[in-house]
Amino acid sequence: MSDPIIETEQLSRHYGDLTAVDDLSLCVERGQIFGFLGPNGAGKTTTIRMLLGLIRRDTGTIRIAGHDLSTQRREALARVGSIVETPALYLNLTGRQNLAVTCHLRGIDTREIDRVLAIVDLEKDASRRAGEYSLGMRQRLGIARALLGEPELLILDEPTNGLDPAGIREIRQLIADAPARFGTTILVSSHMLSEVEQMASHVGVMNRGRLLFEGTLPDLIQTAPHRLEIRVADPARALSLLGPGATLSGAMLVLPGVNEAEAADINRRLVEAGLSVTGLSIKPPALEDIFLSLTGETE
């Protein structure tokens, strides 16, 4: 049964002649890690700012957990935690003091502080000033602040930006574990496709303000053809035999859009031509290739 926590219908936002978000209808179900993909300038952050009520929308509707953002703003945003771009922290205050300020402003019990510090593994550094934190620690503190009050929905805008590989891995694992550990639905925006691939159960792909795809990762992979990779003793001769469509990548022949029956026929043709085939496999498209195909971008 459908249980959406985010629903938008025909959502649009314009800046003069620029259409930042164009007729966006989006649905994120409870329990999902929803990867919001798109290049810089695709409209992801503008969408997130509208979802959080930070900027007005020109047209369309937004419902959060069944509440209309226009008429039930307090109810819609009461159980939402977020980080939009870089978390704004009081650098002269300690990590614990930063969280205490948020608790005071939002009327949250300060006993929540120890819980969220444990989640992001900052207990030992809670008494240090935030100005002394690394970028990764600041990002984790921002996530801790977003988790105060046990939100039903966590919205994270480019949470791994500027982090080193260790920091990216920490944030990725924290996001991946959140739905099972805390019952939190997550919308995470990113232009780093490989990161989203390792976290998300569902994805939406945006470009130039429009939603190009919404569904599961397997469904996204099915939008682009698989490719046949062939390792053969004489690749140049095999290339001439197979004709247009085949390309040579190092010592490997590559043919896009080949199914199993076609692969078997190609293997037979090569063997009958006296070529020794040492490897043959059908590979799914890389997420990067799918994204480039959907958005019309080039390498």
Side-chain angles (χ1 to χ4, degrees), residues 104-275:
H104 174 71
L105 292 173
R106 294 177 52 194
I108 296 171
D109 193 321
T110 54
R111 286 177 294 184
E112 273 279 284
I113 293 174
D114 287 331
R115 182 185 73 87
V116 297
L117 285 171
I119 289 172
V120 300
D121 195 25
L122 279 178
E123 300 133 299
K124 294 180 180 178
D125 298 289
S127 298
R128 290 175 56 192
R129 289 191 309 111
E132 300 172 359
Y133 282 8
S134 67
L135 283 176
M137 292 170 68
R138 293 183 191 183
Q139 201 73 353
R140 281 190 281 148
L141 182 60
I143 291 176
R145 185 172 61 187
L147 287 169
L148 287 168
E150 300 184 87
E152 298 174 27
L153 172 64
L154 195 59
I155 297 178
L156 305 175
D157 185 21
E158 300 281 2
T160 59
N161 255 7
L163 302 186
D164 60 21
I168 290 173
R169 187 165 56 249
E170 289 176 4
I171 299 300
R172 182 177 65 216
Q173 193 60 54
L174 179 61
I175 292 170
D177 291 345
R181 289 180 64 188
F182 319 116
T184 304
T185 303
I186 295 179
L187 183 146
V188 54
S189 82
S190 182
H191 63 279
M192 297 177 66
L193 309 185
S194 60
E195 289 305 312
V196 169
E197 189 175 20
Q198 295 179 67
M199 294 184 289
S201 58
H202 296 71
V203 294
V205 180
M206 281 193 79
N207 193 40
R208 298 174 183 171
R210 297 192 66 86
L211 185 68
L212 305 180
F213 174 87
E214 181 183 2
T216 66
L217 272 173
D219 287 343
L220 177 62
I221 290 171
Q222 290 302 316
T223 64
H226 288 47
R227 67 187 187 277
L228 176 66
E229 294 183 353
I230 307 170
R231 192 173 297 279
V232 63
D234 189 345
R237 184 176 165 221
L239 184 65
S240 64
L241 179 67
L242 294 176
T247 59
L248 192 59
S249 177
M252 188 82 69
L253 283 170
V254 179
L255 290 91
V258 175
N259 59 35
E260 290 186 1
E262 292 167 333
D265 181 63
I266 289 169
N267 182 59
R268 178 187 56 77
R269 287 165 54 197
L270 292 173
V271 171
E272 288 178 351
L275 293 165

